Amino acid sequence: MRISELSARAGIATATIKYYLREGLLPPGELTSATQARYNEQHVERLRLVRALLGPAKLTVARVRDVLRVIDEPGADMFTALGAAQHATLDEVEAVDTSVALALVERAGWRVDPSGPELAQLARALHAADDADFEIPEGVLDAHINAAARVAEAELAHMPEDPRHALRYAVLGTILAEPLLSALRRLAEQSAAADRFGPAT
Amino acid sequence: MRISELSARAGIATATIKYYLREGLLPPGELTSATQARYNEQHVERLRLVRALLGPAKLTVARVRDVLRVIDEPGADMFTALGAAQHATLDEVEAVDTSVALALVERAGWRVDPSGPELAQLARALHAADDADFEIPEGVLDAHINAAARVAEAELAHMPEDPRHALRYAVLGTILAEPLLSALRRLAEQSAAADRFGPAT
């Protein structure tokens, strides 16, 4: 298909597609003349992925490039590729004291990278609660740990076998499910409050 | 205590405290002369709350004012106050088609406000996945629903009895636990991936 049809199919303006091409977020089409190129279904799929990463996930162009590189060249070691994909979606976190976060992860019995940005992210979240003088009750913390573990297990259980599909799934799952889980938690809180304090049904 | 001591205690610059006073985020101290005021422990606590709401939670000044108003004047009806506190922490969401989101909530058996911003937030998260052509497996969706329900139950179970404390707890819990749960989920994914693909311990 031509770029105009690609634009219509993906619902993305031609100018934006050209920008993605220049930035290397979309592989070039097959040249059919000096000024025209032909695009295929993989371009449509890639455009949707790029839009999700730049839009809802709010990643920078450079970071999207990192994510796409991992998806396109996963290498032989799935564990390393998954880690790289996850890291690529996360902003650099300034160095923080991770001792409390590490203790929490050990209590959960998880195997994690002690120097990774994810642990720093957890440490920051715990520090923020501490700064606000907000003590998270142990029972609530445990509920969060169990919830995270259950979600991760389900995500892994449904991961596609094919490495490229698996990495796309992991990246999109990590990124798109974040606002989903936040929204669900607020709705569940609303429902729990209705059960306890609200009017009878 | 004087403003200088309040500044030292809360770890917030005097100029910032004066800004909060002007914006009505901090109640005025007790005047001891024409130019001096005395502050107390409640001011320290309030400063920490304001910092958490403006900082990690990234709320606007106007929105922080809304949250504080609900905490300070919860009224007699805890259900309404909790709802108002939760709404105040959420940005306005543009109108979206909430039919799929509503079906999901009904499947979960939750009692929620069908016209509230939380449902619109869920709808947006689902639309974003759809736009990216990312189909969330049913089993993963169910895991998210269960996780959200478990967390909300634990949060409600540990909520303080006193209405003002309960509202502070609800606001800070909703806001500060969001990055916590995100970080925990990424770490749990890392651990689950290590168990499945990683090197033996």
Side-chain angles (χ1 to χ4, degrees):
Chain A
M1 70 190 90
R2 294 194 182 172
I3 196 165
S4 55
E5 194 188 337
L6 179 64
S7 165
R9 281 284 308 283
I12 294 177
T14 307
T16 307
I17 295 178
K18 287 182 177 165
Y19 169 68
Y20 292 170
L21 285 165
R22 278 200 305 277
E23 291 289 340
L25 303 183
L26 189 70
E30 186 198 339
L31 278 183
T32 53
S33 77
T35 56
Q36 290 219 324
R38 205 193 308 265
Y39 301 90
N40 58 34
E41 288 305 315
Q42 290 184 333
H43 288 94
V44 178
E45 193 194 300
R46 173 55 51 103
L47 273 180
R48 291 210 171 117
L49 176 59
V50 168
R51 185 176 50 187
L53 295 175
L54 288 172
K58 293 187 186 123
L59 298 190
T60 63
V61 167
R63 217 149 267 281
V64 171
R65 218 182 276 123
D66 291 344
V67 171
L68 296 176
R69 194 177 301 128
V70 180
I71 293 182
D72 290 338
E73 292 157 29
D77 175 6
M78 194 61 189
F79 177 57
T80 306
L82 278 172
Q86 208 190 41
H87 283 197
T89 63
L90 205 59
D91 285 335
E92 284 305 315
V93 179
E94 51 196 288
V96 282
D97 174 9
T98 55
S99 51
V100 177
L102 204 54
L104 193 66
V105 162
E106 270 164 16
R107 190 167 112 196
W110 293 343
R111 297 169 64 188
V112 308
D113 175 6
S115 60
E118 293 82 10
L119 195 70
Q121 194 193 13
L122 177 62
R124 264 171 58 131
L126 292 170
H127 290 318
D130 203 40
D131 283 349
D133 209 12
F134 180 66
E135 203 175 331
I136 304 168
E138 292 255 317
V140 174
L141 215 42
D142 283 336
H144 275 101
I145 290 172
N146 289 332
R150 288 299 104 72
V151 167
E153 276 164 26
E155 286 174 320
L156 257 283
H158 288 85
M159 195 162 80
E161 290 286 332
D162 175 80
R164 280 181 61 156
H165 289 161
L167 285 166
R168 178 181 172 275
Y169 169 90
V171 165
L172 286 178
T174 295
I175 281 177
L176 294 173
E178 221 146 87
L180 182 79
L181 190 51
S182 295
L184 284 172
R185 189 170 74 95
R186 282 170 180 259
L187 288 165
E189 286 170 351
Q190 210 176 88
S191 181
D195 288 344
R196 180 149 155 202
F197 301 107
T201 328
Chain B
M1 69 190 89
R2 294 194 181 174
I3 196 165
S4 56
E5 194 188 337
L6 179 63
S7 165
R9 282 283 308 282
I12 294 176
T14 307
T16 308
I17 295 177
K18 287 182 177 165
Y19 170 67
Y20 292 169
L21 284 165
R22 280 199 303 278
E23 291 289 339
L25 303 182
L26 190 69
E30 186 198 341
L31 278 183
T32 53
S33 78
T35 57
Q36 289 219 326
R38 204 193 309 265
Y39 301 90
N40 57 33
E41 287 306 315
Q42 289 185 334
H43 288 96
V44 178
E45 192 195 300
R46 172 56 50 104
L47 273 180
R48 290 211 172 116
L49 177 60
V50 168
R51 184 176 51 186
L53 295 174
L54 288 173
K58 292 186 186 123
L59 298 190
T60 62
V61 166
R63 217 149 267 283
V64 171
R65 217 182 276 124
D66 291 344
V67 172
L68 296 175
R69 193 177 302 129
V70 179
I71 293 181
D72 290 338
E73 292 156 29
D77 175 5
M78 194 60 188
F79 177 58
T80 307
L82 278 172
Q86 207 190 42
H87 284 197
T89 62
L90 204 59
D91 284 334
E92 284 303 315
V93 179
E94 51 195 290
V96 282
D97 175 9
T98 54
S99 51
V100 177
L102 203 54
L104 194 66
V105 162
E106 269 163 18
R107 191 168 112 195
W110 293 342
R111 297 169 65 186
V112 308
D113 175 6
S115 60
E118 294 81 11
L119 195 70
Q121 195 194 14
L122 177 62
R124 264 170 58 131
L126 293 169
H127 289 320
D130 202 41
D131 284 349
D133 209 13
F134 180 67
E135 203 175 330
I136 304 168
E138 291 254 316
V140 174
L141 215 43
D142 283 336
H144 275 100
I145 290 171
N146 289 332
R150 289 297 104 71
V151 166
E153 275 163 26
E155 287 174 319
L156 257 285
H158 290 86
M159 196 163 81
E161 291 286 332
D162 175 81
R164 280 181 60 156
H165 289 161
L167 285 166
R168 178 180 172 276
Y169 169 91
V171 165
L172 286 177
T174 295
I175 281 178
L176 295 172
E178 221 146 89
L180 182 78
L181 189 52
S182 295
L184 284 172
R185 189 170 74 96
R186 283 171 180 260
L187 289 163
E189 285 170 352
Q190 210 175 87
S191 182
D195 287 345
R196 180 149 156 202
F197 301 107
T201 327

